[in-house]
Every structure is written in C-alpha cells, then in structure tokens.
Amino acid sequence: METRAGSRPGSRVSLGLWLMFAAHALQNARAEISSGSCPSPVQLHRGEQQLQPGVRSDPAEEMAEVREPGVIDQESGMLGTSGPNLSFEVKTAGSVSGLAEDAALGRAKRSAPDFNEFSDSDWTGRTAQLDSQKPGRSEFGWAREDGRGNTRQDEPISSSTFALTGDSAHNHAVVYWTGQNSSVILILTKLYDFHIGSVTESTLWRSTDYGSTYERMNDKIGSKAVLSYLYVCPSNKRKIMLLTDPEFESSVLISTDEGASYQKYRLSFFVLSLLFHPTEEDWALAYSHDQKLYSSVDFVIASRSCFLCVCLTDVQYVTCRAQMCSEANRNYPFPGYIDISSLVVQDDYIFIQVPTSGRASYYVSYKREAFIQIKLPKYSLPKDLHIVSTDGKQVFAAVQEWNQNDTYNLYLSDTRGIYFTLAMENVKTTKGIAGNQMLDLYEVAGIKGMLIANKKQDNQVKTYITYNKGRDWRLLQAPAADLEGNDIHCILPFCSLHLQLQTSENPYVSGTISTKSSAPGIIVATGNIGAELSYNNVGMFVSSDAGNSWRPIFEEEHNIWFLDRGGAIVAVKQPSVPTRHLWVSFDEGSHWTQHSFSTVPLFVDGVLVEAGAENQIMTFFGHFSHRSEWQLIKIDYKSIFSRKCTEKDYHTWHLHNQGEPCVMGQKQIYMKRQPGHYCMLGKDYSRIVSAESCICRAHDFECDYGYERRSDGNCRPAFWFNPSSVSRSCSQGQNYFNSTGYRKVVLNNCTKGVKEMYTARKQQCPNRSPKGLTLTTKDGKLTANMGSNVTFVVHLDEGDSLRTNVQLDFGDGTAVSYSNLSWTEEGIKHVYKSAGIFRVTALAENSLGSDTTTLFLHVTCPVEHVQLLAPFVVIRNKEVNITAVVLPSQSRTVTYFWWLGNSTEPVITLDGSISYTFRSEGMHTITVQVASANTILQDTKTIAVQVNYLHIQQVSDFPEEQLLVAVFPGVPTAAELFLLPNKNQSEGKKKSEEELEKASSIIVSALNQNLVEFELKPGVRVIVYNTQLTLAPLVDSSPRHSSSAMLMLLSVVFLGLAVFLIYKFKRWTTF
C-alpha cells in the first residue's frame, strides 16, 4: 500500500523504524506523505498543480521528476508533517531494492512542488514516448493547416532573454521562485555524470528582477563547491539551504536573505533526505546515508547530533518528540509489526499495512486516534492497494484485485476512512514517462465532487464523468462540429468523447488535461471522438460549462496554462519542436490570439506562471538547440490586456449537470468575464456569487457499506453482509446508529427532503450472543521462541463486549479467564517454558450463547547439537534404522532433511528416525540437516553396504529366509540375530525347538572360532563374535504377558510368521 507525492528511484534508504513527533497536534496542517520503494501507481490526478516550496532535486533523475514540499524522496524514506508545534510524521524503512514489489507503479503528484529538473533531451524523449502509445485510431479528425480555429494575426509581446553563459554542458537545472510578492528566482544548474553517478559541476544563479537578469553566485558560495540540492523553507521562503555533493564534501550552506549570502557548515554525515516543519521555520529533520536521523530547532542541521541511530529488523510504528526519542520516551500506537514501506500519512489519516497469515491487512487512524482495520467488501481479495486521495474528508483508494493486471477498482470511504464502497470498476492505468503506471482518474479543480475517469470494459476504454463523487457516471457528449464547422454525427452510447487523463510529472509543463480552481468549469484536454479512447489522430478540446458540452480547439497537442487567475488561457506547442509563438484566449477557448515571445524558435522545457500576485510575468525555460546554453525568456503579459475589468465585463454562469442545477446538494452561481472583453481580472476577482442548498433527493445518497445498488436503483444488503450485525462495542443500554442502506455523499450540502428517510437511525444496542471470535498473536506470527513473551489478541465481531466472558487456554496446561473483553484490549501475555506445538483455544460466552476459535502456536528453541547415529555396515536390500539425536531435545518442532543413498533430493520428516533400504553395494553417504526456528545444523556419516553382512548362512546351512538381523547404530556396532522356525513346519513345538537349538549351536561355534568375517574395504576386515545367547518367547503360557512380549508378538503377526519362540543372539563387531 502506498501513495506518493514524488519519487527518486535513484536513491534508497535503510531505516527500520517509524517515527512520529507529537503527531496528535496540528490537525489543520496538510501532510502528504507516502512511502515506496518503487514508484507506485495510483494517485488521483489533481485538477490543479499548486506550486509549493522546499524540495530537493536529484540530478540522477529524469528532468521531469519533482518533489513535494518538504517531503523526503519516496525511495529513500518518507517524512510527513502534522502539528502546530514540532510535529512530524516520519517513516523510515529497511533497505528496499526495486512496493515496490510490483511493476514499479508510479503516480502523479497530489500537488506539485514549485521547482523541477530539466534536461537537454528529456522532453524530446517524452514526446516520442507519447507518440509510441498510439494503438488505435479515432473515427474523427481534422485537417486544418494551422490546427487552430478563429485565430488573430501575430502580435508581439513584451519579453527579454537571458542566457546562462557557461552552462551549456550542464544537463540538469532546478528553478525556484522564492514565493509570492518576491522578485527573486534561483536556478541551480548541474552536470550529472551518469558513468560515475554523481554531480561533477554546478552553478547557482540568482535573479532579483523577476528573471530579467541573473547573477552567478559561485563566488559567494565557494568557486570549487559542487552543489547537489536546493531547499527552501516552506514557512519562511527567505531561508534557503544548499547541500554539497557528498563525493566532494559534506556541507550545508544556509541563507536567511533569499540566497543573497550564505554561511557554510561542515557536516559529519551525508544528508540523504531533508524535511522542514510546515509552520516552524527553524525546525528540520535530516536523514543520513548511514540510517541515522538528525534534528534541528535552529535551522542549523550541522549543530545537531543524531537522536535516532537504530536500525530494526522488524518495522514498527513509533511516536516520539524530536530531541526526546530515547526508548523510554517512545510510544507504540500500533501493536506489532507493519510492512516495510507501507506507512502513508495524509491530512487527517494515517495508513499502515500488516501481514496476517499470508495476506495483507490494512489499518487506518483518523485524526491520530486508535488504528482500526479497513473494511472492504468481503468479496474483495486485493493483491495491491494504494491511497489515492484524502483531502475531501474521505479516502479514495485504488484496489487491484487478484484477477486484475492493468486496471484498478476505485473505492470511496466514509469520513473516518474505515468503510469502503465500490465507486468504479476497472479504472485504466497509463504508463508514465519513467515506466511507472498512473491511474486514469482526474479531479476537476474548482468544482467539488467532479471526477473524470477512463474505464476499461469489454476490451474498450471509455471516458466517464461524475458530478457526485462517483455515485453516478456518464459518458462525455462529443462536440457537435469539428474545427471546419462540419457536423459530427456521434450518438451516445455508441460514440462519445474520450480524454487522456495524464498530468505531467513536471509542474512547468502541463499534462494532457488542465483545470484551475480560479477558473471553474473550464476543462482543456487532449482526446479523440469515437467508440473508445485512442492515441491516434487526437486533438484538443475545451469545455467551458464543466464538461456538459465540448468544442475542438487544436489539432495538435499543446501545453496549457491559465493566466490572470484563470481569466485567460495560454497554449504552446509540445516541446518536441521549437517554437517562438504562444496563443492566448480570453473567451474560454473560442478565439485565440497568436503572440511572438522570441525572435529565435525555442525548445520549451517549461514555463513558470503567476509566481507573484502583484505581477503578470511568466518565464520560459529552454534551449535554442540541444547544445546551446540555457535560455530564460521573461514575458510580461500585462500588455495583452487593454484594461482592468469592471462589473460590466462580467456575467453569471450556473453550474449544472445536463440541466440539473443541484450539484453536490447546491445550486452554485459563478461570475465569468463576458466573451470578447480583453480586460484583466486582477487579484481581487472572486468567482463564486452564491451557493444555495438543495432539497435532498436519492442521487445525493450512495449505498452504505455492505449494500449494493440493484437494477431498480435501491440499495439492498449484499450476499456477504448481515445487516443485523452490530459492533461488539455496542453494549446493552447504549445506543447505535442502524444503517438504512444509504449514506450521504461526503461534502454534499443538501438539506431536508429524503435526508431523514435515508439517514441512519439511532437504536438501542440489543443483547447478542458472541459471533466472529478471532485469535491472533500481536505480531501476526504463529511461531515464538521458548521463554519469550507471547501476546495473544482476541477480537469479537459481534456480541456485548462488556457482558461476554473470555477464556483462553494456552495449550500447555495453563489458562486464564476474563469477565469481559475490555480487559483484553492490550492483549494477553504468556510465556512458554518448553518447545512444542501448542493448541491455543479462545472461548467467548454470555447468557445467549458462545463462540470459540483455535490457533496452533509453534514454540521453538535453537538447536545446539545434532548427531547422526547409523551402523557402519548394512546388508543390501535389508531395511536399516537411522537416527538423528538433537540437543536440546524438542518435540514436533524440528524438521529433518535426509539425504540417503547418494540421493540429490532430501526426504523430509518430523521424526528423528528413518528406515531405509540400500539397493547397491559400496560406500554410501548419509546426511541429515535439522531445522528449528532460524537454526539449521548438519551431520554426515559414511556406511558400507554388503551383500551378506554376517555370512551366517555359509557356516550353518540355515535358510536365509529364516535369519532376521536388526543392526543398531553406534561404535562398536551391535546387532541382534533372530533364528526363525520354518513357517510351514507342522511337527510341533518340541521339534521346532530342537532344530533351533541345533542351528544356534552351529552358529555360536562359528562365531566363537571367528569364522564369520568379511572385508569392509581394502585393508579393513570385520570380525563378528558372539556376546550373549538368550531365549525370547513371543507368547508366554502364563496368564500374564509382559509388554515386551506383546510387542514382539505384534511384530511377528505383522510379518505373518506363525511362531511360538525364537532364539536371540547379540554380537559385536570390531574393526
């Protein structure tokens, strides 16, 4: 699970600890944090990219890579903010290569930072990639030569050009405008050597006149200094930090006057990631390459020592205050361990992922309260889950089910982020520039609840729009005419308009769709008309009424920006070809004016627009050629406006959905400039005129968790949901809200009407029998070390927790009982003093019934010694017993791996003994490995396999089938020789005894004379001699039978031998 504000795949971090500093403060500050070892996909494409301060840039990345303000690189760990005082959310994870885990899914920024890296050739490559994504054809196209409709002739615009002389070899640049009402622009250009993986040259430039001229700052920071990163404090943009490249030195340069002067501090560590507090300008955190975390409360990281210098194997969620993060001051809000790289902190929510019995479980904390498990529909089997958005007082989550590959299902939660319902199935993903996947879901800026998504259905991708946060979706109506004015015959649902929904990873180059909160209702996007989404024969379209109707504006793809608080739209061709023109529209795309901004065509790498509220300046960045120096063209677009707008220049516009005036429970009226009025809106311009609440109707409510919309439009309980179930926290005498099957769309402002009928009703908690009892360990594992504390967690889905008795039997002869579940909330601890597999049983019961559940816990202790016991000599085709002795002795928790008879594949057993028959003569190797917990030990023996081990038959003429030999392991090797009577003999017991006595005398004599011997291997002979002769009756004539006799009797019966007594010999072999 992950969400992402920006990533640096070139960098990775290893910290096995999660931190949160005073996380219960600052509920109003916005935190957009995520973790990820790899780029992740699903992010709700934001309708507007807000340029925010203070993130570093990595030269190893594509020039389109950007960072979230104050957010540490996602591959190197995640730092987030939450709190009015020193209050950070910090996640650091174990070393990860390669969540992530999957197909390197990447996502667009929730809100883009205000600088980026540019590369000489990257944008050409970007266009080439877009061109390669064109699998199909569109049914409609245009053939105008200029690709634009209703254009006016070329008009010059006021501009000035500045070249960053001497930087033609530098292949990356970071551009940063220090903030509103500031004329200072900083540019850091770098030469990144991809062969050695580091920056070898850098130049810092500074402008104090909105980019008309720039000063080279290298002499003020040190002519030999090589800079890697630029940070600007988000709460005081006059404060700037520069980091040197660690390949040359580890230093930080600090400025408190917008980069005019710097003070240098040596560092004893290499900074990998840096995070500023969102409100306290002097507070910062730094994470080093050696997995240590440093803090500062005076804006000087160099003066602070490491306050967290640990690396854990198992990742935990920990809270503590900076400078006070010793073990005694740490809190653990979530019991147990969480998945590496799974922490997500956004707005009021914290998300974590926990492995449970091979499947991931997801938990959420709302407003820093206790973690609660996320509830998806029971049929959902997610193999991947990503948090998409959290800023609308609910959570958008993208879930990839077990049967999906290139699509995700979109789910929406309640306000607390716990209960999720399905909003749209099979939302398409699109491959980004860096190979990461992005969800084709776009939130339109300026209009609450309006989303556009591309859905895959029947192998076709179509574009849908919603005005009520996914409750209802519909196709887009295609334009009525093309650029030539010819009619387009496109009939729904067979033909519609389809849009590409990719936002740019570079905030200074627009994506394929653009909207702005200060220009509500205006949508400019690249797309096609036809039966499905296509990347061939595309054009650009604009809607000025929030997607109800559309008009074609360009044949070719253009970058789009909004000027004058959305009052004007500027368009520039995609950067694959150089241009010296831009086009401006003052009437929402109906007419365009062409303006020249350069005498020489420019490859446009990016545009900085509206950096200051008091000026009308935009800056173009680019090159005249791929080998030329960086060119900065400052444009003052004030000259294209004739005057400032007055009340007479405006008219009202009513937001609607195909004529329906109530959108998200409101009638909203906006003020727009009248077409053809070339006047400037200014900073005091306000769009919205009035917002009146509507009477609640059915479309203002969506199906509640556990309910599904049927064909008649009503929400009914799903097959997996029991509507009568009540939370276990609902105790008799208390009240709860019983769902009607509906819940109001979050942020919908309707009143009265059907609101009371659809709103959950307050009812008294019933007295219920316990149901849904589950038993787990705190860490989710089914193994434990002997002597360690094991914490069991008991959970009850239904039942009165205050009136339900809980009993827990640990399986080792001990048990505990609690009068109610509230006593078990912190877990039940137990220590096992012996190894084994224990059956742990939980029982919950009250006056109405009971429920029980069981788990089997493997308690192990490390194996210290293993000895393989096997005879040195065995007989071919005769079964032999082999034993492995383990110390300390363990029962059922040790796994044995046997390699027998020179085999390559092991035989696996849970018993320490095994029987085996060798089929060939010669020397054979026997190997056993013993595995217990995390320990594996091994022992090996070599034995000889002979045709006839004892050579008894030759000296006694006794039938071989009546000789039974049992060989025991050890040195010297002992064996037992049994003489069996003929099973077909019928003469009687006395005669049988006489024959056995005679045969035994012959054999004993041979053994005493050392006549039984054989050669084990060249130079080694084995002599067999007798040690003892005993009579071993299998059946006693007395009424009482010994246990040993009974056992032998069973063995004989198994062998099918009808015998009454045998003689047993013991002998020893010597070498």
Side-chain angles (χ1 to χ4, degrees):
M1 175 184 67
E2 72 184 51
T3 182
R4 168 179 152 147
S7 74
R8 287 180 55 249
S11 152
R12 290 181 169 55
V13 176
S14 299
L15 243 190
L17 188 66
W18 308 90
L19 293 169
M20 185 181 80
F21 301 93
H24 295 275
L26 186 66
Q27 299 303 320
N28 295 325
R30 185 185 191 97
E32 297 156 27
I33 331 269
S34 80
S35 72
S37 49
C38 248
S40 112
V42 278
Q43 162 77 34
L44 179 69
H45 292 316
R46 307 308 300 182
E48 178 180 7
Q49 296 194 358
Q50 300 290 344
L51 302 184
Q52 301 290 345
V55 186
R56 83 178 186 188
S57 169
D58 186 345
E61 275 312 305
E62 292 288 331
M63 61 80 157
E65 192 59 34
V66 293
R67 311 289 184 295
E68 191 71 358
V71 176
I72 285 187
D73 297 313
Q74 306 311 304
E75 297 245 351
S76 57
M78 180 274 297
L79 298 182
T81 58
S82 175
N85 14 41
L86 184 52
S87 182
F88 300 114
E89 290 280 355
V90 183
K91 168 215 159 184
T92 52
S95 180
V96 181
S97 60
L99 157 245
E101 18 135 294
D102 42 38
L105 298 175
R107 47 185 288 254
K109 264 50 79 180
R110 297 182 70 249
S111 60
D114 49 352
F115 68 81
N116 192 18
E117 295 192 4
F118 302 106
S119 159
D120 290 344
S121 58
D122 286 339
W123 286 108
T124 302
R126 174 182 183 272
T127 303
Q129 181 170 359
L130 290 174
D131 290 341
S132 68
Q133 301 176 352
K134 298 181 178 179
R137 289 189 57 83
S138 171
E139 285 86 337
F140 298 91
W142 304 274
R144 289 179 60 89
E145 183 175 350
D146 58 4
R148 298 168 190 83
N150 301 314
T151 60
R152 293 167 56 184
Q153 66 182 42
D154 192 7
E155 298 180 5
I157 193 171
S158 175
S159 65
S160 61
T161 302
F162 187 90
L164 302 185
T165 306
D167 283 359
S168 60
H170 291 189
N171 50 13
H172 288 81
V174 179
V175 182
Y176 189 89
W177 201 315
T178 57
Q180 290 184 349
N181 302 322
S182 174
S183 60
V184 176
I185 298 177
L186 297 174
I187 300 178
L188 175 61
T189 64
K190 298 170 286 186
L191 174 59
Y192 185 83
D193 192 324
F194 290 91
H195 297 289
I196 64 175
S198 65
V199 178
T200 57
E201 295 179 15
S202 68
T203 305
L204 181 65
W205 300 84
R206 183 172 184 263
S207 172
T208 59
D209 53 9
Y210 297 104
S212 296
T213 59
Y214 288 84
E215 176 188 4
R216 190 184 186 101
M217 301 293 291
N218 283 33
D219 292 338
K220 294 186 179 181
I221 62 173
S223 58
K224 295 183 179 181
V226 178
L227 304 176
S228 292
Y229 307 118
L230 167 68
Y231 292 89
V232 178
C233 176
S235 56
N236 183 355
K237 298 175 183 179
R238 294 181 61 83
K239 292 186 174 182
I240 296 168
M241 273 192 185
L242 298 172
L243 295 181
T244 60
D245 192 280
E247 294 293 328
F248 295 88
E249 63 174 328
S250 183
S251 300
V252 59
L253 293 97
I254 295 177
S255 172
T256 58
D257 53 9
E258 291 188 285
S261 62
Y262 293 89
Q263 186 173 358
K264 189 174 185 179
Y265 296 89
R266 292 281 183 178
L267 298 178
S268 59
F269 58 93
F270 295 156
V271 176
L272 184 62
S273 301
L274 189 66
L275 173 68
F276 293 102
H277 193 275
T279 58
E280 297 292 338
E281 61 185 65
D282 291 331
W283 293 358
L285 295 176
Y287 181 56
S288 67
H289 283 74
D290 56 349
Q291 305 175 6
K292 295 180 181 180
L293 195 62
Y294 296 78
S295 70
S296 171
V297 292
D298 57 6
F299 203 69
V300 183
I301 289 292
S303 68
R304 294 289 163 245
S305 60
C306 170
F307 73 91
L308 179 64
C309 308
V310 293
C311 180
L312 302 181
T313 303
D314 295 309
V315 178
Q316 292 179 280
Y317 178 67
V318 184
T319 67
C320 65
R321 278 186 173 272
Q323 317 268 324
M324 297 172 57
C325 206
S326 62
E327 182 61 37
N329 294 322
R330 295 177 190 170
N331 296 314
Y332 297 83
F334 184 81
Y337 302 108
I338 66 178
D339 278 355
I340 276 183
S341 303
S342 73
L343 179 67
V344 176
V345 182
Q346 288 186 192
D347 300 309
D348 290 333
Y349 305 90
I350 302 176
F351 304 91
I352 57 175
Q353 177 177 315
V354 179
T356 305
S357 303
R359 288 184 57 187
S361 298
Y362 307 95
Y363 290 81
V364 61
S365 168
Y366 177 62
K367 292 187 175 180
R368 309 313 186 249
E369 296 173 355
F371 281 93
I372 300 176
Q373 186 171 358
I374 287 175
K375 303 293 185 182
L376 292 169
K378 291 291 180 65
Y379 58 77
S380 177
L381 298 174
K383 63 180 179 182
D384 194 17
L385 183 147
H386 296 264
I387 301 303
V388 176
S389 173
T390 58
D391 60 350
K393 293 188 177 181
Q394 71 178 148
V395 180
F396 284 73
V399 175
Q400 190 169 59
E401 303 287 353
W402 63 273
N403 60 338
Q404 293 178 310
N405 293 316
D406 58 350
T407 60
Y408 281 75
N409 292 344
L410 180 65
Y411 286 87
L412 298 182
S413 77
D414 60 344
T415 301
R416 299 181 63 198
I418 299 173
Y419 295 98
F420 284 79
T421 58
L422 183 64
M424 175 176 275
E425 292 183 296
N426 296 317
V427 180
K428 174 183 173 292
T429 57
T430 300
K431 192 172 184 179
I433 300 171
N436 46 334
Q437 299 288 329
M438 296 186 184
L439 194 71
D440 274 20
L441 178 67
Y442 184 85
E443 182 179 21
V444 177
I447 299 180
K448 180 176 56 179
M450 185 174 175
L451 303 168
I452 303 176
N454 284 329
K455 179 180 179 180
K456 186 175 183 180
Q457 188 173 9
D458 299 329
N459 293 322
Q460 287 187 327
V461 176
K462 299 176 182 288
T463 301
Y464 291 82
I465 190 170
T466 178
Y467 294 83
N468 52 8
K469 277 198 167 184
R471 196 273 192 195
D472 302 293
W473 298 86
R474 64 172 174 83
L475 295 167
L476 297 180
Q477 178 65 59
D482 61 17
L483 284 171
E484 296 283 355
N486 301 317
D487 291 340
I488 297 176
H489 302 284
C490 184
I491 308 300
L492 293 173
F494 310 103
C495 173
S496 60
L497 176 65
H498 309 284
L499 305 179
Q500 299 176 25
L501 303 179
Q502 294 80 56
T503 55
S504 173
E505 295 183 24
N506 175 5
Y508 303 123
V509 176
S510 70
T512 57
I513 183 169
S514 300
T515 58
K516 192 173 181 66
S517 58
S518 60
I522 302 178
I523 309 172
V524 184
T526 301
N528 68 282
I529 300 172
E532 62 178 322
L533 179 67
S534 171
Y535 292 90
N536 281 339
N537 200 13
V538 298
M540 294 200 69
F541 302 85
V542 64
S543 174
S544 56
D545 58 1
N548 286 283
S549 63
W550 296 82
R551 303 186 305 274
I553 53 173
F554 297 121
E555 248 186 9
E556 302 168 302
E557 294 182 62
H558 284 65
N559 287 309
I560 299 295
W561 294 274
F562 291 90
L563 305 179
D564 187 32
R565 304 182 63 83
I569 306 173
V570 63
V572 177
K573 277 187 178 180
Q574 290 281 9
S576 57
V577 294
T579 183
R580 59 188 185 90
H581 297 112
L582 59 83
W583 286 262
V584 179
S585 173
F586 295 92
D587 53 7
E588 301 171 347
S590 296
H591 301 83
W592 295 86
T593 303
Q594 179 177 288
H595 299 270
S596 298
F597 65 86
S598 175
T599 57
V600 179
L602 179 76
F603 286 94
V604 178
D605 291 327
V607 178
L608 183 65
V609 180
E610 283 194 0
E614 301 296 334
N615 63 81
Q616 290 76 41
I617 292 173
M618 55 183 176
T619 303
F620 280 66
F621 311 97
H623 297 79
F624 291 140
S625 70
H626 291 308
R627 297 184 179 275
S628 71
E629 298 164 328
W630 295 89
Q631 304 293 327
L632 307 173
I633 301 179
K634 171 188 171 183
I635 299 174
D636 189 343
Y637 60 83
K638 185 185 299 184
S639 60
I640 64 177
F641 297 98
S642 59
R643 57 186 173 82
K644 190 172 182 178
C645 295
T646 63
E647 290 186 8
K648 296 180 180 180
D649 296 305
Y650 299 106
H651 68 103
T652 57
W653 170 70
H654 296 250
L655 174 65
H656 65 94
N657 174 15
Q658 291 186 319
E660 168 57 55
C662 289
V663 176
M664 289 293 286
Q666 277 188 329
K667 295 179 180 179
Q668 302 175 55
I669 302 175
Y670 294 85
M671 184 169 58
K672 288 189 176 184
R673 184 176 48 201
Q674 297 187 41
H677 290 229
Y678 296 92
C679 59
M680 183 180 298
L681 298 179
K683 67 174 183 176
D684 297 328
Y685 169 67
S686 178
R687 283 282 179 178
I688 192 163
V689 176
S690 66
E692 177 187 349
S693 295
C694 298
I695 298 299
C696 289
R697 292 180 288 174
H699 64 253
D700 296 309
F701 293 81
E702 60 189 1
C703 291
D704 202 354
Y705 175 79
Y707 292 80
E708 295 176 349
R709 194 173 302 280
R710 302 299 169 84
S711 57
D712 60 1
N714 295 320
C715 297
R716 305 293 184 191
F719 69 91
W720 49 267
F721 182 70
N722 179 12
S724 63
S725 63
V726 183
S727 169
R728 68 180 181 88
S729 62
C730 188
S731 183
Q732 189 174 8
Q734 297 177 341
N735 294 321
Y736 76 102
F737 287 96
N738 187 18
S739 176
T740 61
Y742 299 85
R743 68 186 185 191
K744 193 176 179 183
V745 174
V746 176
L747 296 183
N748 186 293
N749 293 316
C750 73
T751 60
K752 300 180 180 179
V754 299
K755 181 178 180 179
E756 184 176 352
M757 181 175 64
Y758 284 157
T759 301
R761 299 179 178 89
K762 182 185 290 188
Q763 296 181 358
Q764 283 193 341
C765 296
N767 193 11
R768 297 151 294 138
S769 62
K771 292 182 181 179
L773 183 67
T774 58
L775 176 64
T776 60
T777 58
K778 182 178 180 180
D779 57 8
K781 298 178 181 178
L782 295 177
T783 60
N785 293 325
M786 187 179 70
S788 64
N789 239 326
V790 182
T791 301
F792 295 95
V793 179
V794 180
H795 175 76
L796 188 64
D797 285 340
E798 296 182 35
D800 190 340
S801 61
L802 296 180
R803 290 172 172 80
T804 299
N805 176 272
V806 177
Q807 301 176 33
L808 188 61
D809 186 341
F810 298 108
D812 61 349
T814 59
V816 294
S817 179
Y818 296 88
S819 59
N820 61 70
L821 274 175
S822 62
W823 294 101
T824 69
E825 290 181 355
E826 298 299 324
I828 305 172
K829 299 183 185 298
H830 184 66
V831 176
Y832 288 89
K833 297 180 179 180
S834 61
I837 302 176
F838 297 92
R839 177 189 176 101
V840 187
T841 304
L843 171 66
E845 64 179 340
N846 59 23
S847 59
L848 296 180
S850 63
D851 194 9
T852 185
T853 185
T854 300
L855 69 77
F856 294 90
L857 183 71
H858 293 241
V859 178
T860 61
C861 65
V863 176
E864 298 176 1
H865 179 72
V866 60
Q867 181 180 5
L868 181 61
L869 300 180
F872 282 92
V873 183
V874 300
I875 302 173
R876 188 186 68 180
N877 295 327
K878 296 290 185 179
E879 192 174 72
V880 62
N881 292 326
I882 304 166
T883 302
V885 179
V886 173
L887 295 176
S889 177
Q890 300 192 39
S891 173
R892 299 183 299 166
T893 61
V894 176
T895 304
Y896 299 84
F897 300 84
W898 307 87
W899 283 267
L900 305 166
N902 301 323
S903 62
T904 58
E905 294 295 326
V907 177
I908 302 174
T909 69
L910 296 177
D911 191 1
S913 296
I914 190 171
S915 298
Y916 188 73
T917 301
F918 292 90
R919 303 298 182 185
S920 62
E921 297 180 69
M923 304 302 295
H924 290 259
T925 299
I926 301 175
T927 299
V928 63
Q929 285 187 351
V930 177
S932 177
N934 296 323
T935 305
I936 297 179
L937 298 180
Q938 174 178 304
D939 194 15
T940 301
K941 297 290 184 184
T942 301
I943 65 173
V945 179
Q946 297 292 324
V947 176
N948 191 336
Y949 177 36
L950 296 178
H951 294 236
I952 298 294
Q953 200 271 335
Q954 289 91 332
V955 299
S956 65
D957 291 327
F958 198 78
E960 182 177 356
E961 63 271 13
Q962 293 179 243
L963 292 173
L964 180 62
V965 180
V967 182
F968 301 101
V971 179
T973 299
E976 291 181 334
L977 171 64
F978 296 88
L979 305 182
L980 306 179
N982 190 337
K983 62 182 178 179
N984 296 323
Q985 185 173 341
S986 59
E987 286 83 352
K989 176 179 179 181
K990 184 175 182 180
K991 185 174 182 180
S992 175
E993 289 181 355
E994 291 175 352
E995 290 182 352
L996 291 176
E997 287 281 2
K998 180 180 179 180
S1000 65
S1001 298
I1002 297 174
I1003 293 174
V1004 169
S1005 175
L1007 291 172
N1008 291 336
Q1009 299 177 50
N1010 294 333
L1011 298 178
V1012 181
E1013 62 178 13
F1014 59 92
E1015 185 176 52
L1016 178 64
K1017 56 184 178 180
V1020 178
R1021 295 193 64 79
V1022 175
I1023 299 175
V1024 183
Y1025 61 92
N1026 177 44
T1027 61
Q1028 185 179 0
L1029 174 64
T1030 61
L1031 181 65
L1034 289 180
V1035 179
D1036 196 342
S1037 59
S1038 65
R1040 297 182 179 179
H1041 296 77
S1042 67
S1043 60
S1044 60
M1046 292 298 294
L1047 289 174
M1048 295 181 69
L1049 175 62
L1050 290 174
S1051 299
V1052 171
V1053 170
F1054 177 78
L1055 293 172
L1057 303 176
V1059 298
F1060 295 94
L1061 55 92
I1062 60 174
Y1063 285 93
K1064 180 176 69 174
F1065 295 89
K1066 285 189 176 180
R1067 70 199 186 290
W1068 298 89
T1069 63
T1070 59
F1071 297 87

